[in-house]
Amino acid sequence: MRAAVVTSFGGPEAVEIVDVERPEPGEGQIRIKVAAATLNPVDAGVRAGAFGTGKPLGLGWDVAGTVDAVGGGTGWTVGDQVIALQHGFDKPLGTHAEFVVVDASAAAAAPASVDLVHAASIPLNTLTAAQALDQLALEPGQSLLVTGAAGAVGGYAIQLAAHRGIEVTAYAAETDEELTRSFGATAFTPRGTTPAPADGVLDTAFIGAEALGWVRDGGAYVGVIPGAHPAPERGVRTSSVEVKADGTQLAALASLTDDGILTTRVAETFPLADATKAHTRLAEGGVRGRLVLVP
């Protein structure tokens, strides 16, 4: 089968499409025939050598497709359409491949309301947003500021927070106000200006200490780069989310997609063979929605 890997670190040109053996599922695992797999910023980090040193490294965390083989004790059946998160910075094969093996506990039934290309954009970004909101632990009626609000994690965070009854202010480029309000933000602050203090900040734009200053005394700050959050001050709790594969939580998020609470966004699709072109497009920036590879 074909898979996207890096054998030397660098820019988009470092991505290689290679022929490898089709993986076999073990106990508690399923093999998925990949229909679509999203390209995320973390893949660019892996490609550039920001995580792990082992090589070759497989690329891809998100997947949507059809179960085509099962190990023992999985609860899944060949032919089931699923989505899953294959977590890991340092793995020989990722989801940017024709087939991928994942733990059965990481998978959920694909939502029925969107095609598999759009479904592939759900796992990493919705789980990150949901787990970050869980860490913030805001109550209905409290206020949340989301930086990078027009991005994939930021957009899902706004939708989930609004669904939980939290008042959301979006912090993004001025041209993204209409978009972020469509997600459920009730207020908007253009990037480069100072927002009003909030009970919590979800910092998907990696602003750091400055964004911590936008949290009210005794509030909470959560970043999205593991371990890179600023130190606590003024009684503000600070942490960063390190996303975990969780099929039960992913199933709930898929259900919210079917209910119209979460809106998937796909900017462009690329054949797996054109993975380098997809990485080049990601590096150019300004993507609204996800780039998706299709084997």
Side-chain angles (χ1 to χ4, degrees):
M1 73 166 193
R2 297 175 305 154
V5 303
V6 290
T7 58
S8 61
F9 298 126
E13 72 285 350
V15 178
E16 301 177 40
I17 304 299
V18 298
D19 288 318
V20 297
E21 272 192 46
R22 186 179 301 183
E24 295 296 331
E27 185 73 16
Q29 294 182 319
I30 59 174
R31 187 173 67 202
I32 301 169
K33 186 179 190 306
V34 178
T38 307
L39 174 63
N40 288 288
V42 68
D43 296 303
V46 171
R47 183 202 74 220
F51 315 106
T53 57
K55 289 181 281 186
L57 291 176
L59 298 172
W61 292 47
D62 286 311
V63 63
T66 304
V67 176
D68 102 306
V70 297
T74 69
W76 294 101
T77 302
V78 170
D80 288 341
Q81 290 196 333
V82 296
I83 56 176
L85 176 67
Q86 190 202 35
H87 183 281
F89 299 100
D90 195 353
K91 56 197 178 189
L93 286 176
T95 65
H96 295 172
E98 293 179 311
F99 295 85
V100 64
V101 168
V102 302
D103 290 341
S105 61
S113 58
V114 297
D115 60 28
L116 290 176
V117 169
H118 284 78
S121 70
I122 294 172
L124 177 60
N125 295 302
T126 62
L127 285 168
T128 299
Q131 291 170 16
L133 290 174
D134 291 343
Q135 286 180 214
L136 285 164
L138 298 177
E139 299 291 337
Q142 287 190 289
S143 59
L144 171 67
L145 175 72
V146 178
T147 74
V153 174
Y156 281 134
I158 292 172
Q159 293 179 325
L160 288 169
H163 181 62
R164 297 182 184 190
I166 297 165
E167 298 294 323
V168 184
T169 297
Y171 183 85
E174 192 168 355
T175 52
D176 287 321
E177 178 172 3
E178 183 178 353
L179 175 65
T180 57
R181 287 188 182 275
S182 75
F183 297 149
T186 55
F188 180 84
T189 300
R191 191 169 58 215
T193 58
T194 302
D199 296 312
V201 167
L202 175 51
D203 186 16
T204 78
F206 326 126
I207 295 171
E210 184 182 3
L212 176 60
W214 301 335
V215 184
R216 289 195 180 101
D217 292 359
Y221 167 102
V222 172
V224 294
I225 300 179
H229 51 278
E233 62 176 44
R234 299 178 288 108
V236 176
R237 293 182 291 110
T238 66
S239 64
S240 48
V241 62
E242 184 167 2
V243 68
K244 295 178 177 60
D246 184 334
T248 299
Q249 187 174 38
L250 186 57
L253 294 164
S255 180
L256 289 177
T257 304
D258 282 335
D259 292 342
I261 304 301
L262 296 178
T263 305
T264 59
R265 292 182 291 155
V266 171
E268 194 171 352
T269 61
F270 294 82
L272 177 62
D274 288 341
T276 297
K277 292 181 181 178
H279 276 256
T280 299
R281 176 66 190 95
L282 182 65
E284 290 170 352
V287 178
R288 293 295 177 259
R290 288 274 68 111
L291 306 175
V292 180
L293 299 177
V294 179

